[in-house]
Amino acid sequence: MLTSLRRSIRPEQIRELILVLLIVALVLFFGTQIEGYYSSRTFIRISTSIAILAVVAVGETLVFLTRNYDISVGSIVGLTAFFVGTQLNHYQGIPPIAALLMAVGLGAIMGAFNGVLVAYGRVPAIIVTLGTMAMYRAMLVEYPGIKIVQMHLLPGWAQEFSRVNIIQVGDFELRLIVGIALAVVIIFQLVLTYLPYGRRLYAIGSNPEAARIAGFPYQRIVFIAFVLSGTLAGLAGFMFMGRFGNLTVGAALGMEMQAIAAVVVGGTSTMGGVGSAFGTFLGAALIGLLDQSLLRWPIISEFWRDAILGLLILLAVASDRAIVDRLRTLWARSELQLRPSMATVRQEESVHGS
Amino acid sequence: MVHSTTSLPQRFLGWLKSWEGLLLGLLIVILIINSALVPAYLTISNQVNLFILFIEKSIVALMIAFIIINGEIDLSMASLMGLSAGTMARLFELGVPSGLAVLAALCVGLICGAFNGFWVAVVGLPSLVVTLAGLIAYRGLVWVLVEDRSISVLPAWLNDLGQKPLIGPFPFALILFFTFAIIGYIILQYSGFGRLVYVIGINRDVARYSGVNVRRVKMILFTASGFVASIAGLLYAARLGAMRSSTAEGFELDIITMVLLGGVSIFGGSGTLRGVFLSILIILNVRNGMGLAYMSANLQAGVIGLLLILSVLVPNLVSGLRARMARRYGMVRPLEVAESR
Amino acid sequence: MPTPVLELRHVSKRFDMTQALDDVSLTLYPGEIHALVGENGAGKSTLIKVATGVYQPDHGEIWVNGRRVHIRNSQEAQALGIAAIYQEPMVFPDLSVAENIFISHRDRGPFVNWRKMYEDAEAILAKLGVNLDVRLPARGLSLAAQQTVEIAKAISLNVCTLIMDEPTSSLSAHEVTQLFRLVSTLRDQGVAILFIGHRLEEVLSIADRVSVLRDGKLISSRPRGEVTIEQVIRDMVGRRIEDFFAKSAVQRGELLLSVRGLSKENVFSDISFDVYRGEVLGFAGLVGSRRTDVGLALFGVEPADAGQIIFEGKEIRIRSPQQALQMGIAYITEDRLRYGLSMPLSIAANITLPTLANYLGALGLIRSAAEYADAEEFRQRLSIRAPSVQVEVAKLSGGNQQKVVLSKWLNTKPKLLILDEPTRGIDVRTKAEVHHMISELAAQGLGIILISSDLPEIMAMSDRILVMREGRQMGLFTREEATQEKVMAAAMGQEYKVPETQLC
């Protein structure tokens, strides 16, 4: 029975289970600490902030799977949010779909730029996205027009965007933003599980050499991963604009670090080949939950947020299987040094006449 | 590193065509443009003032050059700069004597550097992952220490050190930079340790099979990196006269660009401090030029980001082009070159 | 006769110094297991690479199913139904077994049907008579299981020609039996199999036809019924006409190194031998014999788990290359490019690398004059052909590069010198120089372990020969006792019986 259990449960699923338990534990804990925690209001606040992070993090997961990194997503989110917001400030007549397409399209272009440089220019992803992080932020700042997006100048639907519900049962409200995020998670979980493209992402990250020999269109696959990452960041930008309304040039600053934290905590390996959209969602949920709850908890100052983020990342990376393996070999090797050779043991035996 | 057997004028011409020659040309062009915009641009006092604006980044860049040549990377140094400044400032605020506070800050740098080094050198994790985590974690610690305030009461002697000239018109930081630059250059080009740094970066296995203690070298480099970052952080805070949680945030962009633009290959094993020095001057003057043109800080960062990408992209494209030409037109076989004597 | 699945007609391939394949014609028929044997360097791997499109032949033709083809890359080979499985299988550790099998398929539809994939995978494995859990990630699989996955992958792509390169060298006896059953099943299904191996009894037990390669030439190709082991060995080894520099007999000095029961789990076991000053101990063996691993253990790169090492009378544990160097042990690697030389560096810099500490002056700066002088000395002594010692090593020919490697290690003033394939890929003139040098070094009192796959070289240069096979010690011959056939037989696990008719 145990073997069949072992067969059907993968280590990644154990990790996901732990995350769910952690989240539940945290919710219960904060419920005792913070007044009015179990209210509809709190749920809405937390879930909407998780939603935006989750969308970005899913895109980041795709990149991570191929053993690359994308730290420009924060800037992409900011730029798309700001761009679309500014357009809407000027031309209130733009229909929502067009605005959405603008955001997503812009994100895709920025992702494509990253992708070309990494996949075809053979520039390491960290360098490319370190550069584009700054470049995209610069474009945001220099975008001609007013330097802020103002809520009250947005068209009605945009102002109401963050308040639209898809489910309303009594006091419980599920915002559209959250619904979009859930849809993204589900879609990409399906992509990663059921589409050959998704499986090739895992293959490339798992063994790039073998992937090349097997004849995969390596460059195209990586390029598309970056395009998707940018596209999702664009979508998140749209949601960001809807949620906050008033935007400055500092929009979404630092979001890439949160996204990476969500990805890593959610079980995606930093060496590629392992990860899932669902796991990332749990990671985003955990981080978003911690973040928003700490804000409301007077005992620990909110400034611990980044330190805790860092700590979570360290813990998550340290529990990465590849790393545990390496530590284990190291430990074994140091243990070996303590073992006497068989010859000397025999000698000792003969001396002491055992 | 590798001395050719050609004559001196030939070597100079060869050098001109190299990456460093390109940098020198670029620098001259930028200086010309800038001095056209501002009449007193090329005076010593002006140049010194401009240099000082980026001196801390430049000091760290010298150290990071070592690390990248060695085939690793360190993304956490900007956060360490903030952390050491924060440690010093907070302790001093709490009444700890300034000397001890500074010492503590330096120790923090050493310890964090060694911590990075442990995971990279001993456990064998990729330095990118370790220092990326460090970037986030150390910055987080700064927020814990300093929260959202600004600490503007720093030891007077430290402020003086950071702000006032020490010898002639040159403040301490500038002197330190040139000292580091010269010592660093000598170490890299002429010392045993420097050669090991290169060899490991060229091919880690060859180094190991040749009896080189790779672990020790990497450990030393990362510990030193932490230490240098902490010094730079203290100097930066001293120069500003204050520090906050976001101190030195985002510095890694300029620092890594300074190193990569200087001809140090991101893949390890090549590059010199000469090139890094030239690229520091370029970035300095480019940033100044942009400032003169009233470009915002964000826009300037964007330009630097573009420079960063180009400094890796261009060599890649060129070598790719060269390979394609070689395949098409046939290569000169190395055998014939050597056997001709 | 059915149409041959794969035919190589008069194929030749040359690399710089070596004629890797010389007018080789080989025919593979469907439903036939064709074994290819030969020493290391005989040309087997080159042949495989030509068949799989990695190399293009200089001369000759390739015919597939009765049509002439040009195979330009591995995808084209795959399209022609040619697949190869190597000693080190290339699996995706994080993907499941089933996925590994089907990962290169393009025609399984727009969506991944997991249930069907698991079923199909299980079906293929069942066809092969193998029992593996297709859901588990490939990461935990043993080497044998990974190879099975590779074979399953090949079958799933409807392979017509399956090339297996030394697939059994890391397998246990039981796993080998399973593998052979698999291979037989494939053969019965009409696949043509080119099987490269060196365990003669195994090879003969499964092959329908046996071909022997030697020095790039096809020496013989006989159906199983007409083959005996002795014949094969003789074909592999041949009679050399070249005059090899024979090591001059030197008075054997004191005991330098004594190894007893040296073992490393899953690599080699129970290796025992002595090395005396002034003597050359040759290590003979075929691919997978793990001689290099013994060398690496003695040099501290991959230390042994158990066993005793007594060096100059003191028992020691060698844990790192630095330690080995300090004690006077030097190891010259077989793979110059990857482990031996720092290519962008100058000759002088390479020579002084292991002993850099000796060239440092005050403040840790390198004393270039001393470095230059020592490097010059070696340039003269070993006749390294280069304009100066400041030249980049990358610009030298293979032979001269090897001389730089030698200089580098001689500079450490070793007492024990371990040479791993020192003359591989080198021109004849330099080879002779290297042999001369080895003889001289022995005369100067060094103990030398010579690992080589070149039988005549070992025969000429060694005072004694230790034969290894798959991590085990098969025999220790003195110079007088050894003949090429005996050594080769031991390397293959046979005892060589001199045919009665042979009188010379």
Side-chain angles (χ1 to χ4, degrees):
Chain A
M1 200 264 284
L2 268 172
T3 20
S4 69
L5 216 74
R6 193 174 76 90
R7 264 179 105 224
S8 43
I9 298 184
R10 293 180 343 261
E12 293 87 55
Q13 290 172 317
I14 297 179
R15 196 198 185 97
E16 286 163 11
L17 189 64
I18 294 178
L19 281 174
V20 170
L21 290 175
L22 262 176
I23 291 174
V24 169
L26 277 177
V27 168
L28 290 175
F29 173 71
F30 283 120
T32 65
Q33 296 290 316
I34 301 173
E35 259 208 51
Y37 193 69
Y38 295 126
S39 69
S40 163
R41 202 156 161 270
T42 322
F43 176 74
I44 291 172
R45 284 275 164 80
I46 296 183
S47 62
T48 47
S49 97
I50 290 177
I52 298 177
L53 180 61
V55 170
V56 178
V58 167
E60 185 75 42
T61 307
L62 299 177
V63 171
F64 260 67
L65 284 177
T66 63
R67 270 197 216 180
N68 286 305
Y69 309 99
D70 186 350
I71 56 176
S72 67
V73 285
S75 302
I76 297 181
V77 171
L79 182 51
T80 49
F82 201 83
F83 178 76
V84 175
T86 312
Q87 300 296 62
L88 289 175
N89 266 181
H90 283 241
Y91 312 108
Q92 271 93 1
I94 298 179
I97 296 295
L100 176 63
L101 284 175
M102 250 195 281
V104 165
L106 189 57
I109 293 174
M110 292 195 277
F113 187 66
N114 283 340
V116 162
L117 292 171
V118 174
Y120 298 102
R122 284 175 299 129
V123 182
I126 191 73
I127 300 291
V128 169
T129 54
L130 185 61
T132 52
M133 175 166 81
M135 283 168 70
Y136 295 154
R137 182 68 56 184
M139 283 160 62
L140 187 168
V141 169
E142 292 311 304
Y143 184 67
I146 40 180
K147 292 301 179 193
I148 51 171
V149 170
Q150 290 171 293
M151 175 73 126
H152 65 270
L153 290 179
L154 290 174
W157 62 265
Q159 294 190 30
E160 285 304 308
F161 182 64
S162 60
R163 284 195 274 276
V164 174
N165 287 332
I166 49 176
I167 298 177
Q168 197 157 356
V169 178
D171 258 351
F172 174 77
E173 295 173 26
L174 191 70
R175 293 275 192 253
L176 176 61
I177 288 184
V178 178
I180 295 177
L182 287 174
V184 165
V185 170
I186 292 174
I187 290 175
F188 277 92
Q189 180 67 15
L190 292 174
V191 165
L192 287 177
T193 315
Y194 290 106
L195 243 53
Y197 172 75
R199 303 313 302 171
R200 299 229 178 98
L201 286 175
Y202 286 98
I204 287 184
S206 188
N207 191 341
E209 267 309 301
R212 263 181 263 252
I213 293 180
F216 288 173
Y218 186 91
Q219 285 155 323
R220 186 154 36 119
I221 294 178
V222 171
F223 172 73
I224 293 179
F226 275 94
V227 170
L228 288 174
S229 175
T231 310
L232 284 174
L235 174 61
F238 181 78
M239 292 159 67
F240 191 86
M241 176 215 64
R243 180 161 188 257
F244 292 107
N246 292 310
L247 301 172
T248 66
V249 295
L253 201 61
M255 188 175 269
E256 57 276 333
M257 295 311 165
Q258 284 187 308
I260 290 180
V263 167
V264 167
V265 166
T268 302
S269 168
T270 46
M271 323 252 200
V274 175
S276 74
F278 183 62
T280 298
F281 171 68
L282 290 178
L286 183 64
I287 288 178
L289 184 71
L290 258 180
D291 214 43
Q292 292 289 312
S293 307
L294 284 180
L295 268 176
R296 293 165 172 75
W297 198 33
I299 297 191
I300 292 196
S301 87
E302 64 197 88
F303 304 109
W304 274 91
R305 168 215 282 181
D306 276 354
I308 293 181
L309 206 70
L311 185 66
L312 280 175
I313 293 184
L314 284 175
L315 281 175
V317 170
S319 62
D320 188 322
R321 195 187 330 165
I323 293 166
V324 169
D325 279 346
R326 235 184 274 230
L327 281 171
R328 217 182 284 150
T329 356
L330 217 81
W331 181 248
R333 215 176 281 166
S334 65
E335 270 195 333
L336 253 99
Q337 288 180 342
L338 303 170
R339 249 207 295 156
S341 81
M342 305 218 273
T344 36
V345 168
R346 263 181 258 126
Q347 267 178 3
E348 286 171 2
E349 283 178 349
S350 62
V351 163
H352 298 288
S354 59
Chain B
M1 271 303 310
V2 174
H3 310 286
S4 72
T5 51
T6 43
S7 68
L8 199 59
Q10 268 183 309
R11 266 197 279 157
F12 184 65
L13 279 172
W15 179 81
L16 272 184
K17 275 189 277 171
S18 72
W19 187 263
E20 284 170 20
L22 203 74
L23 291 179
L24 186 61
L26 197 61
L27 179 62
I28 293 175
V29 166
I30 293 174
L31 285 174
I32 293 176
I33 295 179
N34 283 355
S35 48
L37 290 170
V38 173
Y41 194 73
L42 290 173
T43 60
I44 295 242
S45 69
N46 192 40
Q47 287 295 311
V48 166
N49 286 336
L50 297 178
F51 214 127
I52 291 173
L53 289 177
F54 301 97
I55 197 67
E56 300 84 14
K57 290 180 187 173
S58 310
I59 292 176
V60 178
L62 292 175
M63 183 72 231
I64 298 297
F66 273 76
I67 290 200
I68 296 186
I69 290 177
N70 192 247
E72 306 285 354
I73 195 167
D74 189 349
L75 293 173
S76 66
M77 14 75 175
S79 302
L80 273 178
M81 282 173 76
L83 185 58
S84 82
T87 308
M88 183 271 301
R90 194 82 180 93
L91 286 176
F92 186 66
E93 212 184 32
L94 292 173
V96 174
S98 60
L100 269 169
V102 166
L103 206 62
L106 293 176
C107 282
V108 165
L110 269 173
I111 294 173
C112 291
F115 185 69
N116 285 345
F118 170 73
W119 292 101
V120 176
V122 177
V123 180
L125 294 186
S127 53
L128 178 58
V129 173
V130 171
T131 57
L132 188 60
L135 180 152
I136 301 176
Y138 300 146
R139 178 63 61 187
L141 286 176
V142 185
W143 277 93
V144 170
L145 279 177
V146 180
E147 297 179 349
D148 62 349
R149 306 179 294 123
S150 155
I151 302 183
S152 45
V153 182
L154 300 176
W157 63 267
L158 194 62
N159 278 337
D160 286 344
L161 198 64
Q163 290 160 13
K164 302 220 181 86
L166 192 62
I167 300 179
F170 308 119
F172 175 68
L174 200 60
I175 298 172
L176 195 64
F177 170 75
F178 279 105
T179 315
F180 274 5
I182 295 175
I183 294 180
Y185 183 74
I186 294 177
I187 291 180
L188 261 187
Q189 304 300 122
Y190 298 110
S191 83
F193 183 76
R195 183 175 289 172
L196 291 185
V197 170
Y198 275 103
V199 170
I200 295 174
I202 291 171
N203 187 328
R204 186 190 183 141
D205 288 323
V206 168
R208 187 159 165 254
Y209 274 65
S210 305
V212 174
N213 195 340
V214 174
R215 249 178 228 174
R216 180 149 54 114
V217 171
K218 289 194 189 279
M219 197 63 189
I220 292 177
L221 285 178
F222 276 94
T223 311
S225 176
F227 186 65
V228 168
S230 63
I231 294 179
L234 289 173
L235 287 175
Y236 185 62
R239 179 161 66 87
L240 294 184
M243 71 92 45
R244 37 171 19 116
S245 292
S246 58
T247 293
E249 205 165 60
F251 275 21
E252 53 272 331
L253 177 65
D254 278 49
I255 294 173
I256 294 187
T257 307
M258 282 173 182
V259 177
L260 294 188
L261 184 64
V264 173
S265 166
I266 184 71
F267 305 110
S270 70
T272 68
L273 283 189
R274 246 186 352 241
V276 174
F277 181 71
L278 281 174
S279 91
I280 289 177
L281 288 178
I282 289 179
I283 290 186
L284 228 111
N285 285 289
V286 164
R287 269 202 180 260
N288 277 311
M290 293 195 285
L292 289 172
Y294 298 112
M295 288 164 80
S296 70
N298 276 306
L299 188 54
Q300 291 184 30
V303 173
I304 302 290
L306 184 61
L307 270 176
L308 175 66
I309 294 177
L310 287 176
S311 62
V312 179
L313 184 64
V314 170
N316 272 357
L317 291 179
V318 167
S319 69
L321 218 76
R322 243 187 241 154
R324 220 172 299 157
M325 306 255 293
R327 247 179 283 151
R328 209 175 293 176
Y329 301 113
M331 270 195 298
V332 173
R333 294 223 309 221
L335 301 172
E336 282 139 41
V337 171
E339 306 276 34
S340 58
R341 305 288 176 114
Chain C
M1 275 260 87
T3 328
V5 175
L6 177 64
E7 235 189 304
L8 296 175
R9 295 190 186 169
H10 303 289
V11 166
S12 296
K13 180 80 185 164
R14 188 188 177 84
F15 294 112
D16 286 347
M17 294 295 145
T18 13
Q19 188 70 35
L21 291 176
D22 193 352
D23 195 31
V24 173
S25 296
L26 198 70
T27 314
L28 296 176
Y29 293 97
E32 184 181 74
I33 297 181
H34 193 137
L36 186 65
V37 293
E39 289 184 298
N40 294 354
K44 302 179 302 235
S45 56
T46 313
L47 196 142
I48 299 176
K49 293 207 169 98
V50 165
T52 52
V54 178
Y55 293 153
Q56 273 69 53
D58 300 331
H59 304 284
E61 303 173 349
I62 304 179
W63 288 64
V64 173
N65 284 320
R67 274 174 32 249
R68 176 153 183 212
V69 296
H70 293 279
I71 312 178
R72 281 170 301 207
N73 52 48
S74 48
Q75 271 95 298
E76 286 188 17
Q78 203 179 73
L80 291 167
I82 303 173
I85 295 175
Y86 302 96
Q87 245 186 310
E88 278 124 36
M90 279 251 150
V91 295
F92 296 105
D94 301 296
L95 301 181
S96 63
V97 167
E99 262 202 291
N100 265 282
I101 294 176
F102 293 111
I103 193 75
S104 344
H105 285 233
R106 309 292 168 91
D107 55 351
R108 289 185 70 83
F111 296 110
V112 174
N113 185 338
W114 286 94
R115 201 167 60 151
K116 184 165 187 300
M117 186 163 73
Y118 289 143
E119 280 172 8
D120 289 347
E122 276 167 2
I124 290 187
L125 291 180
K127 227 192 325 181
L128 297 176
V130 172
N131 194 4
L132 266 184
D133 189 345
V134 296
R135 286 182 168 78
L136 288 181
R139 184 185 290 276
L141 291 181
S142 68
L143 212 62
Q146 286 183 5
Q147 260 173 2
T148 315
V149 171
E150 287 275 295
I151 295 178
K153 201 195 307 195
I155 299 182
S156 74
L157 291 167
N158 290 322
V159 65
C160 305
T161 310
L162 183 63
I163 303 174
M164 302 179 74
D165 188 4
E166 307 276 7
T168 59
S169 39
S170 313
L171 300 184
S172 70
H174 173 64
E175 288 166 338
V176 170
T177 320
Q178 280 185 321
L179 181 68
F180 280 11
R181 216 181 305 145
L182 246 165
V183 174
S184 304
T185 316
L186 282 179
R187 183 258 315 267
D188 295 337
Q189 289 167 8
V191 180
I193 298 171
L194 182 64
F195 188 96
I196 289 114
H198 59 268
R199 297 195 205 185
L200 270 191
E201 344 87 323
E202 284 176 4
V203 165
L204 289 189
S205 73
I206 194 176
D208 300 311
R209 179 170 280 272
V210 179
S211 297
V212 180
L213 268 188
R214 187 179 80 219
D215 289 336
K217 295 196 187 62
L218 187 70
I219 302 298
S220 67
S221 185
R222 303 194 193 88
R224 186 222 255 128
E226 297 168 22
V227 166
T228 67
I229 292 186
E230 288 79 16
Q231 258 180 338
V232 172
I233 293 181
R234 221 172 324 127
D235 287 341
M236 281 174 66
V237 147
R239 297 269 171 232
R240 303 298 172 102
I241 320 171
E242 286 154 311
D243 204 9
F244 265 87
F245 184 87
K247 177 183 177 293
S248 43
V250 163
Q251 177 72 331
R252 195 162 83 172
E254 59 194 18
L255 183 60
L256 182 63
L257 173 73
S258 200
V259 173
R260 294 284 176 274
L262 200 67
S263 307
K264 191 169 167 75
E265 205 175 314
N266 290 330
V267 184
F268 55 81
S269 61
D270 209 22
I271 309 292
S272 306
F273 58 88
D274 297 318
V275 181
Y276 292 83
R277 284 191 195 273
E279 92 164 331
V280 174
L281 178 66
F283 269 38
L286 297 166
V287 168
S289 54
R290 306 297 195 165
R291 296 164 293 160
T292 297
D293 296 282
V294 175
L296 290 178
L298 287 175
F299 189 56
V301 172
E302 300 282 342
D305 299 332
Q308 208 181 20
I309 303 177
I310 301 176
F311 190 69
E312 291 190 308
K314 286 193 296 277
E315 183 174 348
I316 55 173
R317 321 189 64 77
I318 306 178
R319 291 279 154 219
S320 71
Q322 292 101 297
Q323 201 188 347
L325 264 174
Q326 264 170 0
M327 288 189 284
I329 302 176
Y331 170 77
I332 297 188
T333 173
E334 59 173 329
D335 194 337
R336 262 190 313 276
L337 279 174
R338 240 191 310 163
Y339 300 120
L341 290 176
S342 202
M343 288 303 169
L345 255 56
S346 67
I347 296 176
N350 269 285
I351 290 180
T352 56
L353 188 58
T355 47
L356 200 51
N358 297 343
Y359 293 89
L360 301 182
L363 304 172
L365 300 178
I366 301 177
R367 291 181 289 130
S368 321
E371 183 181 69
Y372 185 88
D374 282 359
E376 257 308 302
E377 209 186 285
F378 277 105
R379 184 164 87 97
Q380 310 286 356
R381 189 168 147 201
L382 272 78
S383 317
I384 302 177
R385 280 175 275 285
S388 92
V389 291
Q390 316 271 38
V391 169
E392 271 177 45
V393 202
K395 297 206 167 81
L396 300 179
S397 71
N400 285 305
Q401 284 178 349
Q402 190 66 324
K403 287 183 183 171
V404 174
V405 174
L406 261 173
S407 311
K408 165 175 162 181
W409 292 107
L410 291 178
N411 198 25
T412 67
K413 302 208 184 12
K415 300 176 185 143
L416 175 70
L417 189 61
I418 308 171
L419 297 160
D420 200 343
E421 308 283 359
T423 60
R424 177 184 278 174
I426 296 182
D427 59 286
V428 179
R429 180 165 66 155
T430 315
K431 246 193 226 198
E433 289 175 345
V434 171
H435 289 158
H436 191 96
M437 167 112 278
I438 294 177
S439 204
E440 229 178 66
L441 289 171
Q444 287 168 16
L446 266 70
I448 298 179
I449 295 178
L450 175 65
I451 304 174
S452 172
S453 306
D454 191 340
L455 253 194
E457 181 178 61
I458 288 216
M459 302 289 304
M461 295 300 303
S462 317
D463 295 302
R464 289 184 300 142
I465 302 178
L466 184 145
V467 184
M468 277 182 71
R469 178 184 126 99
E470 293 170 9
R472 287 211 185 73
Q473 196 167 327
M474 300 307 291
L476 196 51
F477 301 99
T478 62
R479 207 189 200 155
E480 295 75 44
E481 296 176 327
T483 64
Q484 287 193 46
E485 288 86 355
K486 265 196 218 164
V487 172
M488 181 56 77
M492 292 187 151
Q494 310 297 310
E495 235 200 82
Y496 186 71
K497 294 182 276 291
V498 179
E500 267 119 62
T501 51
Q502 215 168 319
L503 294 172
C504 52

